[in-house]
Protein backbone atom coordinates (compact mmCIF):
# COMPACT_ATOMS: atom_id res chain seq x y z
CA UNK A 1 0.00 0.00 0.00
CA UNK A 2 1.34 3.34 -0.92
CA UNK A 3 0.58 6.99 -0.45
CA UNK A 4 0.85 9.05 -3.67
CA UNK A 5 2.08 6.10 -5.75
CA UNK A 6 -0.89 5.41 -8.03
CA UNK A 7 -0.01 6.10 -11.67
CA UNK A 8 -2.66 8.46 -13.01
CA UNK A 9 -3.76 9.28 -16.53
CA UNK A 10 -4.17 12.94 -17.60
CA UNK A 11 -7.86 12.63 -16.64
CA UNK A 12 -6.72 11.59 -13.11
CA UNK A 13 -7.83 7.98 -13.42
CA UNK A 14 -5.56 5.18 -12.17
CA UNK A 15 -3.61 3.23 -14.76
CA UNK A 16 -4.60 -0.44 -14.37
CA UNK A 17 -2.05 -3.09 -13.50
CA UNK A 18 -1.61 -6.03 -15.91
CA UNK A 19 -4.74 -8.23 -15.90
CA UNK A 20 -6.51 -5.90 -13.44
CA UNK A 21 -10.30 -5.60 -13.66
CA UNK A 22 -12.37 -2.75 -12.23
CA UNK A 23 -15.20 -3.98 -10.00
CA UNK A 24 -16.74 -0.69 -8.76
CA UNK A 25 -16.12 3.01 -9.23
CA UNK A 26 -17.52 5.93 -7.23
CA UNK A 27 -16.88 9.04 -9.31
CA UNK A 28 -17.62 11.77 -6.76
CA UNK A 29 -18.35 12.52 -3.14
CA UNK A 30 -15.91 10.11 -1.49
CA UNK A 31 -14.25 11.40 1.65
CA UNK A 32 -11.13 9.59 2.86
CA UNK A 33 -9.49 10.32 6.22
CA UNK A 34 -6.11 8.77 6.95
CA UNK A 35 -4.77 8.43 10.48
CA UNK A 36 -1.04 7.70 10.38
CA UNK A 37 0.32 7.00 13.88
CA UNK A 38 3.73 8.09 15.08
CA UNK A 39 6.37 5.77 13.67
CA UNK A 40 7.98 3.41 16.19
CA UNK A 41 11.59 4.02 17.23
CA UNK A 42 14.14 2.93 14.67
CA UNK A 43 17.39 1.05 15.19
CA UNK A 44 18.66 0.91 18.76
CA UNK A 45 16.72 3.99 19.90
CA UNK A 46 14.26 3.42 22.72
CA UNK A 47 12.04 6.44 22.16
CA UNK A 48 11.05 8.88 19.47
CA UNK A 49 9.48 8.50 16.12
CA UNK A 50 8.76 10.41 12.96
CA UNK A 51 7.45 13.56 14.57
CA UNK A 52 3.93 12.75 15.67
CA UNK A 53 0.75 11.29 14.31
CA UNK A 54 -0.72 12.68 11.09
CA UNK A 55 -4.34 13.08 10.06
CA UNK A 56 -4.93 13.62 6.37
CA UNK A 57 -8.36 14.20 4.80
CA UNK A 58 -9.36 14.58 1.16
CA UNK A 59 -12.41 14.31 -1.07
CA UNK A 60 -12.24 12.50 -4.39
CA UNK A 61 -13.01 9.28 -6.25
CA UNK A 62 -12.49 5.62 -5.40
CA UNK A 63 -11.95 2.48 -7.49
CA UNK A 64 -12.26 -1.12 -6.39
CA UNK A 65 -10.43 -3.56 -8.63
CA UNK A 66 -9.76 -7.27 -8.28
CA UNK A 67 -6.26 -6.42 -6.98
CA UNK A 68 -6.44 -3.12 -5.07
CA UNK A 69 -8.44 -0.24 -3.63
CA UNK A 70 -7.48 3.13 -5.13
CA UNK A 71 -8.44 6.61 -3.96
CA UNK A 72 -7.61 9.70 -6.04
CA UNK A 73 -8.20 13.13 -4.51
CA UNK A 74 -9.90 15.95 -6.37
CA UNK A 75 -7.67 18.88 -7.29
CA UNK A 76 -8.50 21.76 -4.96
CA UNK A 77 -9.16 25.21 -6.41
CA UNK A 78 -6.37 26.63 -4.22
CA UNK A 79 -3.16 25.02 -3.03
CA UNK A 80 -2.29 21.36 -3.14
CA UNK A 81 -4.12 18.39 -1.58
CA UNK A 82 -2.76 16.87 1.64
CA UNK A 83 -2.27 13.69 -0.41
CA UNK A 84 -2.83 12.92 -4.07
CA UNK A 85 -3.68 9.21 -4.08
CA UNK A 86 -3.78 6.07 -1.99
CA UNK A 87 -3.27 2.63 -3.50
CA UNK A 88 -3.83 -0.39 -1.25
CA UNK A 89 -3.47 -4.00 -2.45
CA UNK A 90 -6.50 -5.91 -1.20
CA UNK A 91 -4.22 -8.41 0.53
CA UNK A 92 -2.78 -5.51 2.59
CA UNK A 93 -6.15 -4.71 4.17
CA UNK A 94 -5.88 -6.22 7.64
CA UNK A 95 -9.53 -5.57 8.46
CA UNK A 96 -12.65 -3.83 7.23
CA UNK A 97 -15.47 -2.69 9.48
CA UNK A 98 -18.75 -1.07 8.51
CA UNK A 99 -19.55 1.47 11.25
CA UNK A 100 -23.07 2.77 11.93
CA UNK A 101 -22.80 5.51 14.55
CA UNK A 102 -25.91 6.56 16.42
CA UNK A 103 -25.41 10.14 15.26
CA UNK A 104 -23.67 10.81 11.97
CA UNK A 105 -23.15 9.10 8.67
CA UNK A 106 -22.12 5.47 8.18
CA UNK A 107 -18.48 4.93 7.33
CA UNK A 108 -16.07 2.15 6.43
CA UNK A 109 -13.06 1.71 8.71
CA UNK A 110 -9.98 0.08 7.13
CA UNK A 111 -6.89 -1.10 8.96
CA UNK A 112 -3.95 -1.15 6.55
CA UNK A 113 -0.74 -3.19 6.58
CA UNK A 114 2.08 -0.82 5.69
CA UNK A 115 4.63 -1.58 2.99
CA UNK A 116 8.25 -0.49 3.53
CA UNK A 117 9.02 2.87 1.94
CA UNK A 118 5.42 3.53 0.92
CA UNK A 119 4.81 6.60 3.09
CA UNK A 120 2.75 4.93 5.84
CA UNK A 121 3.50 2.95 8.99
CA UNK A 122 1.91 -0.02 10.77
CA UNK A 123 -1.29 0.96 12.52
CA UNK A 124 -2.47 3.24 9.71
CA UNK A 125 -6.24 3.47 9.54
CA UNK A 126 -8.54 4.95 6.93
CA UNK A 127 -12.15 6.05 7.17
CA UNK A 128 -14.20 6.12 3.96
CA UNK A 129 -17.46 8.07 3.76
CA UNK A 130 -19.76 8.54 0.78
CA UNK A 131 -21.70 11.77 0.56
CA UNK A 132 -24.51 10.62 -1.73
CA UNK A 133 -24.02 6.91 -2.44
CA UNK A 134 -24.82 3.67 -0.64
CA UNK A 135 -21.79 2.61 1.36
CA UNK A 136 -23.14 -0.81 2.40
CA UNK A 137 -23.17 -2.19 -1.17
CA UNK A 138 -19.62 -0.97 -1.76
CA UNK A 139 -18.47 -2.51 1.54
CA UNK A 140 -20.02 -5.86 0.62
CA UNK A 141 -18.28 -5.83 -2.77
CA UNK A 142 -14.97 -4.85 -1.13
CA UNK A 143 -15.13 -7.65 1.43
CA UNK A 144 -15.99 -10.30 -1.18
CA UNK A 145 -13.26 -9.10 -3.53
CA UNK A 146 -10.74 -8.95 -0.68
CA UNK A 147 -11.56 -12.52 0.39
CA UNK A 148 -11.10 -13.70 -3.20
CA UNK A 149 -7.75 -11.88 -3.51
CA UNK A 150 -6.49 -13.49 -0.29
CA UNK A 151 -7.68 -16.92 -1.48
CA UNK A 152 -5.93 -16.48 -4.84
CA UNK A 153 -2.70 -15.37 -3.13
CA UNK A 154 -2.77 -18.49 -0.93
CA UNK A 155 -3.48 -20.70 -3.94
CA UNK A 156 -0.53 -19.30 -5.87
CA UNK A 157 1.72 -19.72 -2.81
CA UNK A 158 0.63 -23.36 -2.49
CA UNK A 159 1.29 -23.98 -6.19
CA UNK A 160 4.76 -22.45 -5.95
CA UNK A 161 5.58 -24.42 -2.83
CA UNK A 162 4.20 -27.68 -4.20
CA UNK A 163 4.09 -31.01 -2.44
CA UNK A 164 7.25 -32.77 -1.33
CA UNK A 165 8.55 -35.53 -3.55
CA UNK A 166 7.96 -38.98 -2.07
CA UNK A 167 10.05 -42.04 -2.78
CA UNK A 168 9.03 -45.68 -2.63
CA UNK A 169 10.26 -47.61 0.39
CA UNK A 170 13.37 -49.72 -0.08
CA UNK A 171 13.82 -53.44 0.60
CA UNK A 172 13.15 -54.89 4.07
CA UNK A 173 16.76 -54.37 5.08
CA UNK A 174 16.41 -50.59 4.90
CA UNK A 175 16.07 -48.35 7.94
CA UNK A 176 12.50 -47.38 7.03
CA UNK A 177 9.89 -48.36 9.65
CA UNK A 178 7.40 -49.21 6.89
CA UNK A 179 8.15 -52.42 5.03
CA UNK A 180 5.99 -53.53 2.13
CA UNK A 181 7.54 -56.92 1.39
CA UNK A 182 8.92 -59.93 3.35
CA UNK A 183 5.97 -60.34 5.72
CA UNK A 184 6.39 -63.52 7.83
CA UNK A 185 3.95 -66.36 7.24
CA UNK A 186 4.02 -67.70 10.82
CA UNK A 187 3.00 -66.14 14.12
CA UNK A 188 5.75 -65.10 16.51
CA UNK A 189 6.72 -67.50 19.35
CA UNK A 190 4.37 -67.32 22.37
CA UNK A 191 1.48 -65.86 20.33
CA UNK A 192 -1.81 -67.54 21.22
CA UNK A 193 -4.62 -67.73 18.69
Amino acid sequence: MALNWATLSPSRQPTPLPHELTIRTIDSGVELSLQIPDAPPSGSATSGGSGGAKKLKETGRIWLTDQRLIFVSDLPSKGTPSFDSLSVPLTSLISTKFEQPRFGANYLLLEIKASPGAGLVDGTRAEVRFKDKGLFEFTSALEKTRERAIYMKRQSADEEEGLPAYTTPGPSGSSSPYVTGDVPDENPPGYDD
Side-chain angles (χ1 to χ4, degrees), residues 24 64 96 98 108 134-147:
R24 298 250 175 165
L64 172 62
T96 61
F98 182 73
L108 175 61
L135 182 62
F136 186 76
E137 291 174 11
F138 183 84
T139 302
S140 296
L142 171 64
E143 289 175 350
K144 287 176 186 174
T145 308
R146 176 179 166 258
E147 287 172 11

Side-chain angles (χ1 to χ4, degrees), residues 3-22:
L3 191 62
N4 298 326
W5 279 36
T7 305
L8 303 176
S9 69
S11 62
R12 295 193 51 80
Q13 295 197 1
T15 304
L17 298 174
H19 311 291
E20 185 175 38
L21 301 172
T22 301

Side-chain angles (χ1 to χ4, degrees), residues 92-97 109-112 146:
S92 293
L93 290 175
I94 296 172
S95 68
T96 61
K97 187 175 182 184
L109 182 62
L110 306 170
E111 190 173 339
I112 302 169
R146 176 179 166 258

Side-chain angles (χ1 to χ4, degrees), residues 9 17 29 62 68 94 120 132 153 168 177:
S9 69
L17 298 174
I62 199 164
R68 58 192 174 145
I94 296 172
L120 301 175
D132 57 355
K153 183 177 180 180
T168 58

Side-chain angles (χ1 to χ4, degrees), residues 74-162:
D74 293 335
L75 289 175
S77 57
K78 295 180 184 178
T80 59
S82 58
F83 65 96
D84 194 42
S85 65
L86 176 70
S87 177
V88 183
L90 295 178
T91 56
S92 293
L93 290 175
I94 296 172
S95 68
T96 61
K97 187 175 182 184
F98 182 73
E99 293 284 344
Q100 294 179 300
R102 189 172 299 250
F103 301 105
N106 297 342
Y107 63 94
L108 175 61
L109 182 62
L110 306 170
E111 190 173 339
I112 302 169
K113 178 182 173 186
S115 299
L120 301 175
V121 296
D122 286 337
T124 298
R125 297 173 75 149
E127 289 182 10
V128 179
R129 289 180 165 83
F130 291 174
K131 292 185 178 178
D132 57 355
K133 304 280 185 203
L135 182 62
F136 186 76
E137 291 174 11
F138 183 84
T139 302
S140 296
L142 171 64
E143 289 175 350
K144 287 176 186 174
T145 308
R146 176 179 166 258
E147 287 172 11
R148 174 122 174 101
I150 291 169
Y151 174 78
M152 296 304 288
K153 183 177 180 180
R154 287 181 183 153
Q155 286 294 106
S156 66
D158 287 346
E159 288 172 6
E160 288 174 9
E161 190 175 291

